[in-house]
Amino acid sequence: MIIAIDGPAGAGKSTVAKELAAQLGYAYVNTGAMYRAVALCALEKGLSLPDDEAAIVELAGNLPIALRERGTRVFVSERDVTHEIRTPQVGDLTSQIAVLPGVRRVIVAQQKRIGQESESDCGGAVLEGRDIQTVVFPEADVKIFLTATPRARAERRLSEWQQKSLDGTAPFSLDE
């Protein structure tokens, strides 16, 4: 069974998808983490947009991305990059890379393969990310679109920033 969870940033897709996958014993696939892995490796190679678009597409096509431990850990080759892909610098480049048609083709093909393999390996997968229902798995058995108020989404992002920050601060406040 394929369960596809879509929605805007900060709506709680990851939280719901992880919990649902754990409850069902399915694989969890955070599709955004795959784009982040490409961005991390592009940064490490000194690639940037728009100058290096072709090189970034080639990198994405040759990058051995693996999701392990039921999707909770992200690896490039044998290197665990789970935490490295969550930096602001990687996030900034990810948003630029994820819209490149060549990168999307490569990563969507990998996501489809992972979802199909998960069906045969553990009975199913819960995939979350933007366009997961319409582009990656339009034939998903279950489709969920999560949303939240702008305030709830902002509160979620603020909390994430505070948890990641060494001093507990965030680059913004909800009171501003």
Side-chain angles (χ1 to χ4, degrees):
M1 175 180 283
I2 298 292
I3 300 171
I5 301 178
D6 201 341
K13 294 183 304 287
S14 296
T15 302
V16 170
K18 283 180 201 173
E19 182 61 29
L20 183 58
Q23 292 284 330
L24 297 172
Y26 286 3
Y28 162 65
V29 181
N30 177 336
T31 60
M34 298 174 77
Y35 291 101
R36 286 176 169 276
V38 174
L40 172 67
C41 293
L43 284 169
E44 290 176 344
K45 292 185 179 295
L47 302 175
S48 62
L49 290 171
D51 299 337
D52 300 316
E53 181 175 341
I56 291 171
V57 171
E58 182 179 348
L59 173 68
N62 295 319
L63 206 59
I65 301 169
L67 304 175
R68 297 187 182 148
E69 296 180 26
R70 291 213 182 260
T72 61
R73 312 294 300 173
V74 182
F75 284 78
V76 173
S77 295
E78 292 303 313
R79 177 179 159 208
D80 186 343
V81 297
T82 304
H83 298 293
E84 292 173 75
I85 63 172
R86 297 291 170 192
T87 67
Q89 188 179 14
V90 169
D92 290 344
L93 186 57
T94 299
S95 62
Q96 297 171 48
I97 284 177
V99 299
L100 298 175
V103 171
R104 288 195 66 80
R105 270 192 303 279
V106 169
I107 299 300
V108 166
Q110 289 181 18
Q111 292 165 351
K112 287 182 179 191
R113 178 187 47 79
I114 290 169
Q116 290 162 349
E117 288 173 357
S118 297
E119 275 189 296
S120 60
D121 291 346
C122 58
V126 179
L127 296 98
E128 61 99 349
R130 294 188 195 113
D131 300 329
I132 200 70
Q133 302 174 28
T134 55
V135 177
V136 183
F137 277 104
E139 72 284 0
D141 299 293
V142 177
K143 296 179 181 182
I144 300 167
F145 188 88
L146 288 180
T147 190
T149 66
R151 175 96 186 168
R153 293 172 58 208
E155 287 171 352
R156 180 181 294 275
R157 286 290 179 236
L158 178 61
S159 176
E160 288 173 2
W161 271 100
Q162 288 171 329
Q163 289 172 12
K164 290 178 188 175
S165 173
L166 294 176
D167 63 3
T169 63
F172 61 92
S173 166
L174 293 180
D175 299 324
E176 293 177 351

